[in-house]
Amino acid sequence: MKNLKVGSRVKVDFISESKTIYSGKRFIGSGVVDRVEDGRVYGRLYDGRPFI
């Protein structure tokens, strides 16, 4: 995670465990990093879905 910066292009593939409507849903695709803070990476897939 040390090399991730705002604007980095990423490929994601994970199952959400967020206790929200997205919990248990698989996020897969390519996107961009919007923020890196407190050990978390915030971004959005190219289809518009956000991820943390």
Side-chain angles (χ1 to χ4, degrees):
M1 189 164 79
K2 292 179 182 181
N3 295 327
L4 288 178
K5 298 178 183 171
V6 171
S8 294
R9 294 179 184 187
V10 293
K11 290 185 179 183
V12 298
D13 185 356
F14 65 93
I15 296 174
S16 174
E17 292 298 331
S18 60
K19 296 186 182 183
T20 67
I21 61 170
Y22 297 105
S23 191
K25 292 190 179 187
R26 187 174 184 193
F27 285 78
I28 186 168
S30 296
V32 64
V33 173
D34 293 324
R35 201 167 94 202
V36 179
E37 182 178 297
D38 297 328
R40 292 184 174 92
V41 176
Y42 301 79
R44 58 195 146 77
L45 297 178
Y46 290 134
D47 66 8
R49 291 180 292 163
F51 65 85
I52 300 175

